[in-house]
Amino acid sequence: MFWSQPQQSEDTHDLMTSLIGSAVQVLRGDAGIFVVSNEAFDPQSSSEYILYRIDEAVLLPLLAHVQDGMQPNSAHPLLFEALPPDLISQLNIASEVVEQQGLEYGSLAVYDREGPLGVLYFLRAATTRSCLEQITADTQQSESRQDSKPKEQHKALYSFIAQLADGLRSAFRCLSLVKEQERLAAIFQNCTDGILTVDNALRIIDFNPAMERLTGWHKNEVLGRFYFKVLCPQDRYGNDLGLEDSAILQVFAGQQIIDREMIICARDGQRFNVAITASCVRSVRGELMNGILNVHDLTRERQQEEQRSTFISVISHELQTPISIIKGYASTLARKDAQFDPQVLQSRLMAIEEEVDRLNKLVGNLLYASRIQANGLQMDIASLDLEHLIESVLRRLKAKAPDVSTTLSIPEHLPIVMADRDRIEEVLQNLLDNAIKYSPRHPEISVSCYSTGEEVIVSIRDSGMGISVREQEQIFRRFQRVGDPLSQPTPGAGLGLYIARAIIEAHGGRIWVESTLREGSTFSFSLPREEKAQLPMVVF
Ligand code: ADP
């Protein structure tokens, strides 16, 4: 079973054309058309007729004429009529015989025990006779003289019709099988689930593109290989499966395997969870021929599930901390029996304000994230002097956290960019906050800018804890935090970089990180120079 290489339906069509051509020739015709018996005949659809030496251009007037005339049936299977001269001239048949004798068309009803298959219309010189008609004419005379049974007398014509019907019936079956095969091939090629088929010795005989994407194996690398060795399946707990657990062997033995969860191995050795459904194909004699494995990747669904539960835990955790601090301080301050000196009072109130700010930022980020997901971000784009903006953000940072050391390096005449000031300020703020948050020792931050022909690049370097290469790809996704999001000592919901990326990309820029574990990280983003900007105003 090779769904990826279906047989061509043209081959079957050629076969039918030669069948019709032979029939036309036996009837001494020069050209013909077989019209498939169909209640809702559509002359525009080429699958409804088979042409033999007839030009497509005359098809419609010819069909209209012959279908208006007398139609043959099983009692009178072969009829003739003359063709009108205007139609003959359209047919463009240049022949002396035709000029002298005129052109007629015959209609032959083609049917078998299952019913009518269609009508064969053929064109020929008016005085020509085929051997089938001579017999028919003779037998018609003898029929009137001897009153013998008509079926006996028309034997040659009827057996000709039966043979033609037989050939056409097989060709139609073959055509519908080929079409079915083409449909299956399209499903096999385009299905988003992986499908592999094996022969009865469990060797791979077909491997669809989804399976290639899923496993990283190219079809040509696995064809003919034992499927169990390619997938190296494990049960859902990671225990290696033996051949006796092979899903295909089990369906061969009559078991049902639907959505069985297991772990399979990709070409690069990575393991991932899949749900498999197995089935088999038997020959008419019941022998096992093929096994089919449908492989549904569960990783994405798992990731989404994990993301949902991480979201709930992270958000509750992030909300709980400031709420308990606010509650604690507020209840202490509300005690009627307590006297507070103004400094203590002031520090408690400041702590409450800080926690409220934190809550506010979290709720703001959540709203932001859901807006990115739902409606897109609207940008208010204008010319922006990045140097001024960075200086003012750093000034505020110094006032808030005087012990953080910062340096700024900006070349003279830094080009103006096109950007939404408030949004870029949020990005800068976020990257600077992170640089402080993730620097356990005394934070040292340097901000630098440079321009290329197309864009201006801003980099924020810290000497903090750094991020492993594997994690660097993840942190720009929603709710992604390095390590366990719940046991991280630093507060955060894993939304800041996700939002920063959405903002920068909405400006037509890029954001990226270079980092070495325990040495520090450099986050950079680019914005298009004013004269180069082609901005998408909404990002989804
Ligand atoms: P949050 O800081 O609220 O968790 P972010 O989206 O801003 O969310 O950051 C995602 C994760 O990336 C952080 O949890 C942290 O693990 C890591 N990270 C971000 N910035 C830095 C940095 N400068 N140094 C080390 N790790 C960082």
Side-chain angles (χ1 to χ4, degrees):
M1 192 184 325
F2 299 105
W3 285 326
S4 45
Q5 293 156 355
Q7 209 187 332
Q8 297 294 306
S9 53
E10 288 93 61
D11 300 345
T12 322
H13 207 268
D14 290 350
L15 178 76
M16 292 206 281
T17 310
S18 63
L19 208 58
I20 292 303
S22 319
V24 170
Q25 280 167 17
V26 171
L27 292 158
R28 308 262 329 259
D30 296 308
I33 171 170
F34 179 77
V35 178
V36 179
S37 181
N38 189 343
E39 274 179 19
F41 176 74
D42 173 10
Q44 308 291 345
S45 157
S46 62
S47 62
E48 310 245 349
Y49 51 80
I50 301 153
L51 290 178
Y52 172 66
R53 290 193 186 158
I54 284 190
D55 192 17
E56 296 258 356
V58 290
L59 179 66
L60 286 183
L62 182 65
L63 267 182
H65 181 80
V66 295
Q67 288 191 318
D68 256 5
M70 292 245 295
Q71 295 303 309
N73 54 38
S74 54
H76 301 283
L78 183 57
L79 302 173
F80 289 97
E81 281 189 56
L83 265 189
D86 61 323
L87 201 55
I88 297 179
S89 62
Q90 283 187 51
L91 286 172
N92 229 356
I93 299 180
S95 140
E96 248 177 62
V97 189
V98 171
E99 268 166 31
Q100 285 164 11
Q101 301 171 2
L103 202 65
E104 65 176 8
Y105 76 89
S107 322
L108 178 76
V110 186
Y111 58 91
D112 61 8
R113 272 197 219 122
E114 289 178 44
L117 277 100
V119 178
L120 172 63
Y121 301 99
F122 57 96
L123 307 173
R124 69 183 189 188
T127 50
T128 318
R129 289 289 168 267
S130 72
C131 55
L132 295 169
E133 293 148 73
Q134 278 150 18
I135 292 169
T136 310
D138 294 350
T139 48
Q140 265 166 355
Q141 284 169 12
S142 64
E143 190 184 314
S144 55
R145 281 202 305 273
Q146 298 163 10
D147 196 31
S148 53
K149 286 182 189 160
K151 252 194 185 167
E152 290 283 318
Q153 292 153 349
H154 294 90
K155 213 169 159 191
L157 179 63
Y158 282 108
S159 89
F160 172 70
I161 293 173
Q163 277 179 24
L164 181 58
D166 205 28
L168 281 171
R169 190 69 80 189
S170 312
F172 283 149
R173 280 203 191 107
C174 180
L175 187 65
S176 84
L177 277 178
V178 169
K179 285 191 171 155
E180 189 61 29
Q181 205 188 2
E182 283 170 351
R183 266 193 295 275
L184 283 174
I187 296 173
F188 182 77
Q189 293 294 331
N190 301 315
C191 181
T192 49
D193 276 354
I195 303 174
L196 74 79
T197 55
V198 294
D199 61 13
N200 55 7
L202 304 187
R203 285 172 302 222
I204 298 176
I205 55 172
D206 223 340
F207 204 73
N208 77 342
M211 204 62 202
E212 292 183 329
R213 286 193 295 274
L214 208 62
T215 60
W217 286 107
H218 189 271
K219 182 176 149 183
N220 293 337
E221 295 172 312
V222 296
L223 287 186
R225 286 182 59 192
F226 181 40
Y227 98 94
F228 218 68
K229 282 235 165 94
V230 172
L231 300 185
C232 308
Q234 293 178 330
D235 67 15
R236 55 155 80 183
Y237 307 106
N239 305 311
D240 288 339
L241 292 175
L243 195 54
E244 65 285 3
D245 304 305
S246 152
I248 293 185
L249 277 187
Q250 289 173 346
V251 284
F252 279 179
Q255 279 188 44
Q256 262 206 339
I257 310 287
I258 297 172
D259 275 341
R260 176 187 288 178
E261 206 182 311
M262 59 172 62
I263 297 171
I264 61 170
C265 187
R267 190 176 192 269
D268 62 2
Q270 214 189 347
R271 300 202 152 265
F272 53 96
N273 289 64
V274 293
I276 58 149
T277 298
S279 49
C280 64
V281 181
R282 288 175 190 275
S283 71
V284 271
R285 274 181 272 147
E287 293 151 351
L288 286 162
M289 287 166 54
N290 301 114
I292 304 165
L293 207 64
N294 178 296
V295 183
H296 178 68
D297 184 11
L298 293 174
T299 333
R300 236 195 132 139
E301 284 155 35
R302 287 282 150 80
Q303 267 174 356
Q304 280 171 348
E305 256 169 51
E306 253 169 50
Q307 225 177 38
R308 265 192 292 276
S309 67
T310 314
F311 167 75
I312 295 170
S313 357
V314 167
I315 295 308
S316 355
H317 177 259
E318 283 300 299
L319 286 173
Q320 217 163 25
T321 319
I323 288 173
S324 1
I325 297 174
I326 294 168
K327 168 91 178 134
Y329 284 144
S331 354
T332 319
L333 294 177
R335 276 173 54 184
K336 289 198 181 106
D337 56 335
Q339 294 283 325
F340 295 103
D341 92 52
Q343 258 188 350
V344 173
L345 189 64
Q346 173 73 8
S347 79
R348 298 285 191 272
L349 287 172
M350 271 173 62
I352 290 178
E353 195 190 0
E354 255 172 41
E355 294 309 314
V356 170
D357 285 346
R358 197 170 137 185
L359 274 180
N360 206 14
K361 186 170 175 209
L362 178 65
V363 174
N365 276 349
L366 282 173
L367 283 176
Y368 224 145
S370 74
R371 228 179 309 146
I372 292 171
Q373 278 248 297
N375 310 319
L377 278 182
Q378 295 292 336
M379 295 285 150
D380 186 4
I381 306 280
S383 303
L384 174 66
D385 180 349
L386 268 176
E387 184 171 358
H388 268 119
L389 178 67
I390 296 171
E391 278 168 357
S392 85
V393 172
L394 283 182
R395 252 195 319 275
R396 257 184 291 132
L397 179 81
K398 273 250 137 269
K400 220 170 91 187
D403 49 342
V404 174
S405 36
T406 58
T407 57
L408 174 62
S409 131
I410 294 187
E412 265 181 47
H413 312 300
L414 188 70
I416 298 292
V417 293
M418 286 297 281
D420 180 324
R421 187 183 198 285
D422 293 350
R423 310 264 187 198
I424 299 302
E425 187 174 340
E426 282 169 45
V427 173
L428 282 167
Q429 195 64 59
N430 194 282
L431 296 179
L432 290 167
D433 281 352
N434 279 352
I436 298 171
K437 263 199 320 194
Y438 300 106
S439 297
R441 286 163 282 125
H442 173 70
E444 285 170 11
I445 301 170
S446 49
V447 181
S448 59
C449 293
Y450 66 92
S451 72
T452 67
E454 303 283 314
E455 48 193 15
V456 174
I457 291 161
V458 181
S459 297
I460 293 160
R461 185 160 60 83
D462 65 54
S463 47
M465 57 175 57
I467 308 160
S468 73
V469 178
R470 200 168 52 81
E471 309 268 20
Q472 287 171 26
E473 288 176 14
Q474 314 288 330
I475 52 176
F476 292 95
R477 300 203 187 129
R478 270 187 318 161
F479 307 122
Q480 290 292 335
R481 308 197 74 208
V482 174
D484 180 354
L486 293 180
S487 56
Q488 260 217 20
T490 332
L495 282 173
L497 290 177
Y498 168 70
I499 292 170
R501 189 179 67 175
I503 292 175
I504 296 299
E505 286 180 358
H507 284 81
R510 302 164 290 128
I511 183 165
W512 67 98
V513 62
E514 291 147 291
S515 183
T516 311
L517 258 185
R518 287 177 289 279
E519 284 185 18
S521 313
T522 305
F523 281 85
S524 307
F525 63 86
S526 68
L527 287 171
R529 289 170 61 156
E530 190 177 32
E531 63 276 20
K532 307 281 176 189
Q534 280 178 344
L535 299 169
M537 296 301 167
V538 180
V539 65
F540 292 98

